[in-house]
Amino acid sequence: MAGMKTHTLNPAMGSTDNTRGETQPPEYYTTVRQYLDSLVEAKRMLRELDVIRSERLVGELGEWFAEAVFGGARAVSTSEKGHDIINRGRKVQVKTHAKGDNNNARWTEFKYRRGEFDDFIIIVMTKEFRLKEVYHIPEEVVFERINEAKKQRVLDWDAYPEYSVPLDELPNQELVSLFR
């Protein structure tokens, strides 16, 4: 993988060397620790605000976002079978992806059976948690077009172009604008 930094443990020096034999200075480790502490604090605050409720940061953020944009209430349990939100009596399953710059995959792994949800929402974000795409697909349509040809069942986003919701047509534009 060109350009990718790899590190190996150097027990004799008590530090990590990259593959070119360079030892990281102590400030590097202090900086890493500070950023990890910031991440821990950010997660603590997001839990306090009831945005996340488990360690599944991306999934929890997407469920919170879908609840805030489309309405309804998240399931009491973070592991509710088949759905994440109840909205006007409908069970909504939410899948969220935070995509890296070079990740061109356009599918969601699919492990559900008929009757477990009424609506399937896919939220696609950048690695910086900026909104890229949203799909809102009824259950009956999901099962008509599910791709079973791969090693695992997947929902190919490109098979549902008419269910892609333009970002400027999403409800709660005040929130949506903060994620664009």
Side-chain angles (χ1 to χ4, degrees):
M1 309 224 170
M4 189 162 123
K5 279 191 168 181
T6 58
H7 293 80
T8 57
L9 184 62
N10 182 341
M13 299 188 71
S15 65
T16 305
D17 292 342
N18 62 27
T19 54
R20 292 183 297 277
E22 302 163 347
T23 301
Q24 299 294 343
E27 306 84 49
Y28 169 82
Y29 303 115
T30 302
T31 301
V32 168
R33 182 70 253 170
Q34 289 170 341
Y35 281 120
L36 287 171
D37 290 344
S38 296
L39 177 61
V40 168
E41 178 61 13
K43 287 172 67 176
R44 185 187 70 73
M45 294 301 298
L46 289 170
R47 270 193 295 280
E48 211 170 278
L49 294 167
D50 200 35
V51 173
I52 62 173
R53 303 174 299 164
S54 74
E55 292 304 311
R56 300 178 314 105
L57 179 62
V58 174
E60 290 277 337
L61 177 60
E63 291 167 17
W64 170 82
F65 185 83
E67 175 188 45
V69 168
F70 293 105
R74 283 182 286 170
V76 174
S77 169
T78 59
S79 59
E80 189 70 40
K81 180 105 172 114
H83 71 279
D84 301 304
I85 297 171
I86 299 288
N87 187 356
R88 293 177 286 223
R90 294 179 66 80
K91 295 177 183 176
V92 181
Q93 177 62 50
V94 180
K95 288 296 172 198
T96 308
H97 302 270
K99 308 287 280 175
D101 296 336
N102 297 316
N103 185 341
N104 296 319
R106 297 189 49 75
W107 55 269
T108 298
E109 185 176 1
F110 192 81
K111 298 180 177 181
Y112 305 96
R113 293 188 312 249
R114 289 184 187 272
E116 290 183 327
F117 62 86
D118 299 301
D119 296 293
F120 200 86
I121 293 177
I122 301 168
I123 298 172
V124 184
M125 296 183 164
T126 67
K127 66 181 186 223
E128 293 87 10
F129 300 114
R130 296 291 179 181
L131 200 55
K132 287 177 71 173
E133 299 177 77
V134 175
Y135 294 83
H136 190 171
I137 312 167
E139 184 233 27
E140 59 275 5
V141 176
V142 168
F143 283 98
E144 286 173 5
R145 303 182 196 173
I146 200 74
N147 183 343
E148 310 237 16
K150 295 188 167 125
K151 183 170 49 173
Q152 61 195 17
R153 289 172 78 197
V154 298
L155 192 149
D156 287 313
W157 307 340
D158 294 332
Y160 305 89
E162 69 273 33
Y163 296 97
S164 175
V165 182
L167 301 183
D168 59 352
E169 293 179 17
L170 286 168
N172 196 349
Q173 281 296 305
E174 185 177 354
L175 171 63
V176 171
S177 69
L178 295 173
F179 280 82
R180 291 184 85 169

